Amino acid sequence: QVQLVESGGGSVQAGGSLRLSCAVSGGTYSYRCLGWFRQAPGKEREGVARIYTFTGNPYYDDAAKARFTISRDNAKRTIYLQMNSLKPEDTAMYYCAAGPVYGGTSQCGRAKSADFDYWGQGTQVTVSS
């Protein structure tokens, strides 16, 4: 059983930065696809970024491109989401999720929300204008 605990959310003004962390415990960590998703009130959950733990290859969805960076620290079994130039439309609950153990990084690149079996409780990010 994989457990994920997010931290680092908060309230910032537009243009500010936050770094989210997700500590992963239990289960297999190596060769796993880990990701960040978000859900704003009244909207569907959307993907933000994914990372393949073995190689560190990052994959970004439109919500993250050019402003967010996903990274990992395998020794700490932790992934991060550095968010810069935040906008009010980034306001959402951010979730960390663990997907399958893949044999290659490309599968992580193609992974969708439905592929992720384990989810954290989420951390709230609020960006004011």
Side-chain angles (χ1 to χ4, degrees):
Q1 189 79 3
V2 178
Q3 291 89 39
L4 306 109
V5 178
E6 305 97 333
S7 61
S11 297
V12 295
Q13 290 192 327
S17 298
L18 283 173
R19 189 175 84 151
L20 306 183
S21 299
C22 173
V24 183
S25 61
T28 300
Y29 176 84
S30 297
Y31 304 97
R32 192 177 287 277
C33 186
L34 299 174
W36 287 100
F37 297 80
R38 70 184 185 184
Q39 188 167 20
K43 295 188 176 181
E44 292 188 356
R45 185 170 60 199
E46 64 177 347
V48 177
R50 299 170 302 288
I51 191 165
Y52 186 56
T53 56
F54 183 65
T55 60
N57 282 29
Y59 301 92
Y60 296 100
D61 295 297
D62 290 342
K65 287 179 180 176
R67 296 186 298 123
F68 297 178
T69 303
I70 190 170
S71 62
R72 96 284 193 227
D73 184 332
N74 288 349
K76 296 181 178 179
R77 293 175 62 112
T78 299
I79 66 168
Y80 305 95
L81 185 68
Q82 177 67 43
M83 304 187 295
N84 298 328
S85 302
L86 283 162
K87 305 174 181 179
E89 50 264 43
D90 294 317
T91 294
M93 185 71 79
Y94 283 71
Y95 297 93
C96 177
V101 173
Y102 287 129
T105 185
S106 61
Q107 292 167 291
C108 185
R110 295 190 295 270
K112 303 298 183 184
S113 174
D115 297 317
F116 289 76
D117 296 318
Y118 303 98
W119 294 80
Q121 293 299 307
T123 185
Q124 178 68 39
V125 171
T126 303
V127 185
S128 58
S129 57

